[in-house]
């Protein structure tokens, strides 16, 4: 069949706001072809050392971002992607965005970030990035009280609310800077705030409200419960989360509004086109990888990993991040789990553990350090390094939900080489993923296929390790920019070009099934190493000793006394 002439084509724009950059892609509605893209690196990156403008040293475990960095993505990446695609702006019918989940910010009633008001000199006025882990104490109290009161919703989150999420971070603001909390008229996920910037009207999407805002069965936690945490916190959900006009949550793929004249001037797109409801970078990627059917687990692997999978029934799975009706796609229960660091662990080792002669060898061979260490580690028998590591360098998201845990490497000797540690760290993340898959299946959520998207899918050694450790084929999403393509798919649905997200996924998503297959002999060897991982996992993660907690407390006390930024350690 001859495709229609280009002049009759329509297009959509997807914008993915990540941890370090924002990416825009222009996509053809008919078949999902990606015609042009552009990336804007955040000038401020992750703010974890000093507060911009003041130089004030931030405490340990803090991670902030600058809201102007996000606006600049709309100013720069979207017009650049449109130019790269070579299509007329008039042919674009919709735009959709996704964001890192539980990146939250306090604003005034009109959406102005407090970081851009007279409160800019106070750290709690700034957006808290997802990996801001300084609210663990508040999270512990949230969980303890929920179990003591028998709150029904706590089981929907695997029995624990994370320190990364909305409530722990907001409670930290209240208790550490009441003046900032009092000035906070709206407490909003960046996923919804950026849609507000595009449409001029506030909306809240079902995904972040369900997974990070504890919105279950049509309600947020009760004022009675919140008041027991802190009397001033009682009306938090009613006054800062609920829409001031009582508007319902916006379903995924729905039209949240229309592009304003101001946003049209920023982006170069037509005023009035459809703007889709906000979404999370992980969940939005599912249709791009055709992972919307029940049992198809998608691992979005980058600096961290998020695992999302649909199920036909509601199940309580201990240690997962949450289950939300329609949280990934309408008509299914969406389950989420994750690992707080994956690519960040590998980057940490490359920056800390590789000696000068390795750098010289890589430069001489025209390799990057990943390629060098992969070559040096490749072909060795499983377990030849004698190492097992715990992948907790940024805490544990699932299934322990404890961000005061830290990484462990066991088996080091004077003969251990940098590539040995690198390989052990790759393997540790696969063991963490197997722990999550095992928990889902034990909890009654079948996993029938394992699909990977994100930057780490390019690492062939890592993908083969995952296939061997999981004893499952690993499929790969074909797009190099899964979340941005997923957002574009949602934009097409919001604009009415496809009937729903499932239909749009079938037309616009792509996946290479069974790209990596498990090797039976290596899988057997990894079973033995995984057993050792589980012993370490249970000893350091769930045992009574709490040694890792004590070490973190000692570190935090020393850093606080010395006034040293945590990221310099």
């Amino acid at each position: 069949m001859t495709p229609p002439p280009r002049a009759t084509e329509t297009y959509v724009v997807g914008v993915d706001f990540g941890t370090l950059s924002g990416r825009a892609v222009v996509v053809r509605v008919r078949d999902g072809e990606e015609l042009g893209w552009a990336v804007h690196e955040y000038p401020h990156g992750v703010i974890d050392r000093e507060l911009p403008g003041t130089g004030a040293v931030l405490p340990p475990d803090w991670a902030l971002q600058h809201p102007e960095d996000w606006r600049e993505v709309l100013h720069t990446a979207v017009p650049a992607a449109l130019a790269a695609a070579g299509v007329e702006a008039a042919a674009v019918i919709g735009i959709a965005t996704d964001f890192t989940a539980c990146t939250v910010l306090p604003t005034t009633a009109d959406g102005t970030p407090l970081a851009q008001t007279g409160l800019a000199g106070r750290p709690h006025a700034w957006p808290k990035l997802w990996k801001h882990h300084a609210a663990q104490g508040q999270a512990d109290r949230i969980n303890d009280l929920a179990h003591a009161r028998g709150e029904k919703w706590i089981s929907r989150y695997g029995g624990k609310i994370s320190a990364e999420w909305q409530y722990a971070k907001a409670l930290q603001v209240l208790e550490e800077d009441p003046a900032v909390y009092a000035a906070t008229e709206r407490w909003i996920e960046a996923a919804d705030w950026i849609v507000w910037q595009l449409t001029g009207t506030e909306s809240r999407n079902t995904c972040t409200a369900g997974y990070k805002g504890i919105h279950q069965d049509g309600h947020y936690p009760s004022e009675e419960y919140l008041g027991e945490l802190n009397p001033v916190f009682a009306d938090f959900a009613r006054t800062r989360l609920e829409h001031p006009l009582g508007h319902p949550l916006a379903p995924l793929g729905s039209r949240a509004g229309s592009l304003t004249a101001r946003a049209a001037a920023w982006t170069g797109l037509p005023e009035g086109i459809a703007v889709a409801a906000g979404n999370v970078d992980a969940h939005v990627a599912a249709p791009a990888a055709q992972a919307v059917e029940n049992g198809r687990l998608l691992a979005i692997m980058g600096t961290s990993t998020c695992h999302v999978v649909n199920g036909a029934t509601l199940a309580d799975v201990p240690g997962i991040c949450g289950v939300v009706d329609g949280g990934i796609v309408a008509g299914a229960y969406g389950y989420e789990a994750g690992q707080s660091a994956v690519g960040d662990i590998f980057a940490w080792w490359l920056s800390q553990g590789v000696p000068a002669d390795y750098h010289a060898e890589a430069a001489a061979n025209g390799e990057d350090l990943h390629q060098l260490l992969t070559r040096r580690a490749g072909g060795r028998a499983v377990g030849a390094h004698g190492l097992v590591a715990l992948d907790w360098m940024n805490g544990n998201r699932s299934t322990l939900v404890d961000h005061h845990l830290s990484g462990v490497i066991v088996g080091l000797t004077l003969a251990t080489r940098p590539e040995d540690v690198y390989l052990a760290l790759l393997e540790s993340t696969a063991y963490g993923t197997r722990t999550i898959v095992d928990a889902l299946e034990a909890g009654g959520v079948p996993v029938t296929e394992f699909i990977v998207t994100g930057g780490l899918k390019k690492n062939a050694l890592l993908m083969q390790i995952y296939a061997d450790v999981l004893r499952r084929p690993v499929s790969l999403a074909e797009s190099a920019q899964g979340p941005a393509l997923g957002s574009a798919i949602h934009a097409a649905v919001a604009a009415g070009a496809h009937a729903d997200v499932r239909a749009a996924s079938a037309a616009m998503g792509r996946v290479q099934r069974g790209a990596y297959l498990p090797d039976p002999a290596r899988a057997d060897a990894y079973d033995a190493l995984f057993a050792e991982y589980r012993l370490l996992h249970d000893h350091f993660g769930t045992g009574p000793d709490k040694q890792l907690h004590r070490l973190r407390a000692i570190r935090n006390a020393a850093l606080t006394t010395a006034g040293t930024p945590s990221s310099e350690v």
Side-chain angles (χ1 to χ4, degrees):
M1 178 178 177
T2 303
R6 190 177 181 87
T8 67
E9 300 281 10
T10 54
Y11 307 91
V12 285
V13 174
V15 189
D16 168 40
F17 292 84
T19 300
L20 298 173
S21 65
R23 176 183 300 267
V25 61
V26 178
V27 177
R28 190 163 58 209
V29 168
R30 171 169 53 86
D31 58 3
E33 182 71 19
E34 300 166 33
L35 300 173
W37 57 89
V39 178
H40 176 74
E41 303 288 339
Y42 300 150
H44 297 88
V46 176
I47 302 168
D48 57 4
R49 298 188 179 194
E50 298 178 350
L51 194 68
T54 70
V57 174
L58 295 173
D61 300 319
W62 275 59
L64 309 177
Q65 288 207 300
H66 199 308
E68 201 57 38
D69 290 352
W70 305 333
R71 282 198 189 99
E72 288 181 11
V73 174
L74 303 176
H75 286 271
T76 60
V78 175
L82 193 63
V87 303
E88 295 293 331
V92 176
I93 62 173
I95 182 173
T97 58
D98 66 82
F99 234 102
T100 54
C102 49
T103 295
V104 290
L105 63 156
T107 77
T108 62
D110 66 359
T112 302
L114 294 190
Q116 296 182 310
T117 70
L119 295 171
R122 307 173 83 109
H124 278 298
W126 287 71
K128 288 180 169 57
L129 184 60
W130 63 268
K131 61 180 178 179
H132 175 93
H133 289 156
Q136 185 64 51
Q138 284 80 8
D140 291 341
R141 287 164 47 210
I142 287 169
N143 292 323
D144 290 345
L145 181 61
H147 286 290
R149 287 173 49 91
E151 296 288 343
K152 178 182 176 182
W153 46 260
I154 190 67
S155 64
R156 303 279 180 90
Y157 300 95
K160 288 185 178 181
I161 299 301
S162 171
E164 295 180 345
W165 299 352
Q166 292 182 22
Y167 286 75
K169 287 173 174 173
L171 187 57
Q172 183 193 16
V173 174
L174 168 60
E175 295 178 340
E176 295 182 5
D177 196 337
V180 168
Y181 184 83
T184 300
E185 295 176 292
R186 310 303 295 151
W187 181 256
I188 189 165
E189 290 271 347
D192 292 320
W193 181 83
I194 202 69
V195 172
W196 197 345
Q197 301 301 295
L198 293 170
T199 65
T201 57
E202 181 183 357
S203 61
R204 304 283 176 136
N205 72 84
T206 55
C207 185
T208 53
Y211 290 104
K212 313 306 174 187
I214 320 182
H215 189 275
Q216 293 284 349
D217 301 322
H219 304 284
Y220 290 107
S222 69
E223 293 198 16
E224 181 182 12
Y225 163 79
L226 296 174
E228 282 195 46
L229 288 170
N230 186 308
V232 182
F233 203 55
D235 66 355
F236 167 69
R238 176 170 55 83
T239 60
R240 292 167 173 84
L241 295 183
E242 291 182 1
H243 196 285
L245 299 179
H247 294 172
L249 299 177
L252 302 183
S254 67
R255 183 171 183 152
S258 300
L259 195 70
T260 64
R262 181 180 72 157
W266 291 345
T267 60
L269 299 177
E271 180 182 354
I273 65 171
V275 179
N279 210 328
V280 174
D281 54 358
H283 307 68
V284 79
Q290 294 188 343
V292 294
E293 300 306 323
N294 295 344
R296 292 182 177 176
L297 186 150
L298 180 66
I300 302 88
M301 297 183 62
T303 55
S304 62
T305 292
C306 187
H307 309 78
V308 295
V309 62
N310 281 317
T313 59
L314 179 63
D316 293 335
V317 183
I320 65 165
C321 297
V323 53
V324 175
D325 188 3
I328 302 171
V329 66
Y333 289 97
Y335 293 82
E336 177 194 340
Q339 293 164 272
S340 295
V342 178
D344 274 351
I345 296 176
F346 312 149
W348 163 79
W349 183 244
L350 264 58
S351 67
Q352 305 283 347
V354 181
D357 59 320
Y358 278 56
H359 284 266
E361 179 182 345
N365 293 333
E367 299 173 308
D368 63 29
L369 290 177
H370 284 290
Q371 292 169 327
L372 172 69
L373 294 178
T374 294
R375 175 170 56 79
R376 280 175 163 261
R380 301 183 65 187
V382 173
H385 51 35
L387 303 175
V388 175
L390 293 175
D391 53 318
W392 301 344
M393 280 69 170
N394 200 26
N396 179 283
R397 185 180 297 161
S398 300
T399 57
L400 299 176
V401 199
D402 186 344
H403 294 290
H404 280 180
L405 295 173
S406 50
V408 176
I409 303 175
V410 174
L412 294 169
T413 73
L414 295 178
T416 301
R417 306 296 297 162
E419 59 267 28
D420 296 330
V421 176
Y422 178 73
L423 181 59
L425 294 174
L426 298 183
E427 292 167 343
S428 75
T429 68
Y431 303 147
T433 286
R434 178 167 168 176
T435 300
I436 289 168
V437 172
D438 288 351
L440 286 166
E441 295 207 311
V445 182
V447 176
T448 58
E449 185 177 8
F450 187 85
I451 308 171
V452 174
T453 192
L456 292 182
K457 72 176 185 177
K458 296 181 292 186
N459 188 321
L461 175 61
L462 182 66
M463 294 298 97
Q464 187 60 54
I465 289 170
Y466 271 63
D468 293 338
V469 169
L470 294 172
R471 288 186 171 274
R472 298 170 182 267
V474 171
S475 300
L476 299 181
E478 291 190 4
S479 175
Q481 41 217 1
L485 174 58
S487 279
I489 289 172
H490 283 77
V493 176
H498 290 286
D500 54 32
V501 174
R502 293 178 190 273
S505 173
M508 301 174 70
R510 295 184 181 87
V511 63
Q512 180 187 359
R513 304 209 181 276
Y516 292 88
L517 302 177
D519 177 275
R522 293 177 65 85
D524 289 343
Y526 273 123
D527 280 348
L529 285 174
F530 180 67
E532 298 299 326
Y533 173 90
R534 287 296 312 191
L535 290 173
L536 289 174
H537 174 284
D538 294 347
H539 173 76
F540 286 107
T542 62
D545 187 61
K546 303 297 182 185
Q547 184 178 20
L548 298 181
H549 285 187
R550 293 199 305 275
L551 289 173
R552 180 172 288 262
I554 291 169
R555 184 208 71 165
N556 288 354
L559 291 177
T560 301
T561 300
T564 304
S566 60
S567 58
E568 293 183 359
V569 177

